[in-house]
Amino acid sequence: MVKEKNESGFIAALADAKQSYIDDGVLPPLTLWQWLEIWDRNYHQHTALVDGDEYLSYQGLKESAEYVAAGLQQQGIGAGDTVLVQLPNSNHFVVLCFALFRLGAKPIMAMPAHREKDINALCQQAQPVAYVVPDHFLGFNYQVLADHISQQHPCIRTVIIDGKSANHLTFEQFLHSAPLDPDTPQPSPTNIALLLLSGGTTGTPKLIPRTHADYAFNAIESAKVCRMSPQSVYLAALPISHNFPLACPGILGTLSVGGKVVMAKTAGDDEAFSLIEQEKVTITALVPPLAKLWLETKEWDETDISSLQLLQIGGSRLEEKVARQITPILGCQLQQVFGMAEGLLCYTRLDDDIETVATTQGKPLSTADQIQILAPDGSPVSPGEAGELLTKGPYTIKGYYLAEEHNKKAFTQEGFYQSGDLVRQTANGYLIVEGRLKEQINRAGEKIAIAEIEELLVEHPDVIDCILIPVPDERLGERSCAFVISDNPAFDLQQVQQYLTQHGLPRYKQPDQLEHIAMWPLTTVSKVNKQALSQLAIEND
Ligand code: OOB
């Protein structure tokens, strides 16, 4: 009961905040479903989505979503419910999201890489009524996970398998439901449309509530900045449960201009290159480690990727050296993207000079975005100095979903989100990301909350004390290294990884390196000297 009370208060406050941007004429007052209806009217027979040999037009997308919505409704799923979605990139994923948007039910955007620990935490927080998984993906059996999770969380009344299943409903069955009753009520533009996941800094993932109006704005304005048109072909290479490939401009931005989205199952260069050649892809988004891989591949691979006009790179720091290689080697324009699932998006613009594109992470998407850069004492830094980035704006959240205590720390009284990023601003308003204040590792764009891993590791019987640190890494940007104080010199990385797998942790959150240490090196003020640990990790690699 308490949860419901908090929830309705939170949702009302969120709706008020977004309503004021609607009243000011910044956010159009439409839901994502209403937008799809417009896109369907404008681009009816055009191809919207390509997934292997399955092509779906705008009309097909809307109609499929209506059938799936009807099927979900028959399962008792409706307005306000949350549905845990853990699917790889596919047309079905997009159809399902629009079906949920139509009903006013909220998808929780879990990633295929997530394992039991995160999924459990998400169920506890958001009490989903349904869980949607593939049968298998990349050698992992999601039915076993779904069965295990649904046994522990009675809130899950329906498990839906995208694929074959002997004992659960399949997505295919939903596509063949009876038509949706057109009188089914629609959500309001200021309702929560979806819940994105935050990398966070604590032991449990935080949910990011994005409303229909703000998320549509996010995607539509991003498509304008990227000058997308009906001729645009977007390759969804990164996992589309991420904000970047979903709406920056990503899938939703591409649909907003009548373009075509091509689904890649993995972000690997071999799959991506042949899809670019085959479908004449014009734009895609990558994290820096993948961009580096593409540069290497292009040296010998003769696949024709000349249709590619724009490569967006974001999620973690892009080295200037790599930035300068993009156009000469890949033959397309580079756009740096500094974004966060919480909202604020910064883009370099297509007519910026190469210096700006190679050395900055862009400027905010909207003139309505508010930015503060603060010194440790909370005062604004002098122009050009580095400080913590705080932000507030039409598409930035005012609080995580049902996380009242955490929100007091993560947001100021004026509603600014404290990003934990260390940035400075150039005279013409562009941001340069200098570093980070938050206790997080950015491993190839995936965020790892240091506290979560340390909390688990100290529970291991062989571990007396433990510290996890980011270490600069040629391939990943940053890798994670666990330093342990242990009485067992034979305790090794393999045991750590096994232990964390048993505790339901995905591979990307597990340390890449393990170092034993007798005692912590200290700074002059008696804090653990993490700089010295980082040095040691580099030397011992
Ligand atoms: C994107 O979103 P998240 O929520 O996974 O991570 C946000 C954090 C930022 O606070 C920052 O610490 C880091 O990722 N980050 C970057 C960066 N872009 C994001 N750090 C340095 N340089 C960059 N270009 O990562 C995300 C969301 C939407 C679009 C693009 C990225």
Side-chain angles (χ1 to χ4, degrees):
M1 286 313 278
V2 175
K3 188 188 147 204
E4 271 174 30
K5 189 164 149 271
N6 286 347
E7 184 174 45
S8 56
F10 176 82
I11 289 172
L14 179 67
D16 283 350
K18 295 306 163 198
Q19 187 62 46
S20 67
Y21 286 108
I22 291 178
D23 296 342
D24 290 347
V26 179
L27 296 179
L30 294 174
T31 64
L32 287 162
W33 180 262
Q34 290 168 323
W35 277 115
L36 180 64
E37 288 180 321
I38 295 172
W39 304 335
D40 171 40
R41 277 201 296 278
N42 292 345
Y43 312 113
H44 206 55
Q45 298 292 353
H46 289 218
T47 303
L49 305 172
V50 182
D51 179 358
D53 53 12
E54 190 189 313
Y55 285 67
L56 207 54
S57 66
Y58 282 78
Q59 177 189 18
L61 169 59
K62 179 174 164 273
E63 286 178 0
S64 303
E66 274 173 328
Y67 282 115
V68 172
L72 294 168
Q73 201 176 40
Q74 278 160 26
Q75 294 301 311
I77 298 168
D81 286 334
T82 56
V83 172
L84 187 52
V85 178
Q86 189 182 18
L87 291 176
N89 295 2
S90 65
N91 287 0
H92 287 179
F93 190 148
V94 180
V95 169
L96 175 64
C97 286
F98 276 106
L100 293 167
F101 297 155
R102 168 66 183 87
L103 295 173
K106 307 177 278 258
I108 306 168
M109 305 299 247
M111 283 199 308
H114 282 131
R115 294 292 177 264
E116 193 158 348
K117 184 167 184 287
D118 287 296
I119 301 296
N120 256 327
L122 295 174
C123 290
Q124 255 155 30
Q125 284 178 60
Q127 301 285 307
V129 299
Y131 183 18
V132 190
V133 290
D135 46 6
H136 285 84
F137 181 60
L138 300 179
F140 186 78
N141 185 334
Y142 287 83
Q143 294 210 48
V144 173
L145 176 66
D147 285 337
H148 204 188
I149 292 287
S150 56
Q151 277 156 19
Q152 295 168 69
H153 298 278
C155 55
I156 299 175
R157 298 189 307 259
T158 314
V159 170
I160 303 168
I161 308 289
D162 189 15
K164 292 193 175 58
S165 179
N167 44 2
H168 292 295
L169 294 169
T170 65
F171 192 83
E172 201 59 37
Q173 290 171 281
F174 283 78
L175 284 168
H176 298 104
S177 305
L180 179 72
D181 174 356
D183 291 333
T184 304
Q186 303 224 15
S188 119
T190 57
N191 284 159
I192 297 172
L194 74 168
L195 295 162
L196 296 171
L197 263 61
S198 145
T201 50
T202 64
T204 44
K206 296 284 171 291
L207 287 164
I208 296 170
R210 301 293 302 260
T211 64
H212 286 268
D214 87 68
Y215 212 54
F217 177 89
N218 188 115
I220 292 168
E221 293 304 310
S222 296
K224 289 181 194 161
V225 162
C226 295
R227 296 191 187 149
M228 293 184 80
S229 74
Q231 279 70 48
S232 297
V233 181
Y234 180 88
L235 178 71
L238 296 172
I240 60 176
S241 30
H242 264 292
N243 188 32
F244 192 9
L246 186 58
C248 310
I251 292 179
L252 296 177
T254 304
L255 296 179
S256 78
V257 296
K260 178 169 93 176
V261 173
V262 179
M263 299 290 175
K265 296 292 164 198
T266 65
D269 42 310
D270 43 352
E271 186 185 356
F273 276 36
S274 47
L275 284 174
I276 295 173
E277 181 172 54
Q278 230 172 286
E279 297 292 341
K280 303 275 176 286
V281 168
T282 61
I283 164 172
T284 191
L286 293 178
V287 290
L290 284 170
K292 276 170 104 169
L293 205 66
W294 283 33
L295 287 172
E296 283 166 25
T297 304
K298 182 64 188 147
E299 298 285 351
W300 53 266
D301 189 311
E302 286 175 1
T303 313
D304 178 10
I305 61 163
S306 59
S307 59
L308 193 63
Q309 293 165 8
L310 183 65
L311 179 59
Q312 303 182 282
I313 304 184
S316 65
R317 208 183 82 83
L318 178 65
E319 293 162 64
E320 188 186 326
K321 191 182 80 193
V322 179
R324 291 189 190 276
Q325 291 174 333
I326 298 298
T327 302
I329 297 183
L330 296 177
C332 58
Q333 236 188 314
L334 163 69
Q335 178 184 59
Q336 290 216 40
V337 187
F338 165 45
M340 48 200 76
E342 284 82 358
L344 181 70
L345 300 172
C346 298
Y347 292 104
T348 57
R349 302 305 202 256
L350 300 200
D351 44 16
D352 284 341
D353 55 45
I354 175 66
E355 282 315 300
T356 309
V357 175
T359 61
T360 82
Q361 280 65 58
K363 65 176 178 182
L365 173 63
S366 164
T367 49
D369 284 314
Q370 290 172 261
I371 290 246
Q372 294 179 342
I373 303 178
L374 302 184
D377 67 0
S379 64
V381 296
S382 321
E385 295 284 302
E388 184 181 6
L389 171 70
L390 279 77
T391 183
K392 179 179 173 175
Y395 59 98
T396 294
I397 57 164
K398 301 271 294 227
Y400 293 102
Y401 186 60
L402 306 180
E404 220 175 314
E405 282 311 304
H406 184 71
N407 287 341
K408 286 182 194 152
K409 287 180 266 166
F411 296 83
T412 65
Q413 296 236 299
E414 299 77 44
F416 278 78
Y417 167 58
Q418 310 189 151
S419 73
D421 291 316
L422 205 54
V423 305
R424 65 190 170 85
Q425 195 165 27
T426 64
N428 57 356
Y430 282 64
L431 296 183
I432 297 172
V433 184
E434 295 278 350
R436 187 169 61 221
L437 297 164
K438 52 193 170 189
E439 294 272 295
Q440 208 178 59
I441 297 174
N442 192 331
R443 184 185 188 273
E446 297 292 0
K447 316 305 182 304
I448 305 168
I450 288 178
E452 180 185 8
I453 315 303
E454 287 181 347
E455 276 166 25
L456 268 176
L457 279 177
V458 289
E459 293 295 319
H460 190 285
D462 280 339
V463 176
I464 298 167
D465 202 0
C466 152
I467 287 179
L468 194 77
I469 57 156
V471 180
D473 185 272
E474 180 62 27
R475 195 172 55 89
L476 299 165
E478 279 178 12
R479 65 175 181 268
S480 67
C481 176
F483 276 86
V484 293
I485 298 180
S486 169
D487 286 336
N488 175 9
F491 183 60
D492 65 8
L493 184 63
Q494 210 187 346
Q495 281 166 278
V496 168
Q497 293 186 339
Q498 258 167 19
Y499 166 79
L500 292 176
T501 301
Q502 276 159 16
H503 281 76
L505 239 80
R507 168 64 192 98
Y508 78 87
K509 289 190 183 181
Q510 301 178 8
D512 301 297
Q513 188 179 354
L514 179 79
E515 296 295 336
H516 284 259
I517 197 161
M519 56 181 169
W520 301 123
L522 298 179
T523 63
T524 46
V525 290
S526 294
K527 282 189 174 174
V528 175
N529 186 344
K530 294 194 178 172
Q531 206 67 48
L533 290 180
S534 176
Q535 204 49 46
L536 263 176
I538 294 169
E539 283 161 18
N540 293 350
D541 183 33

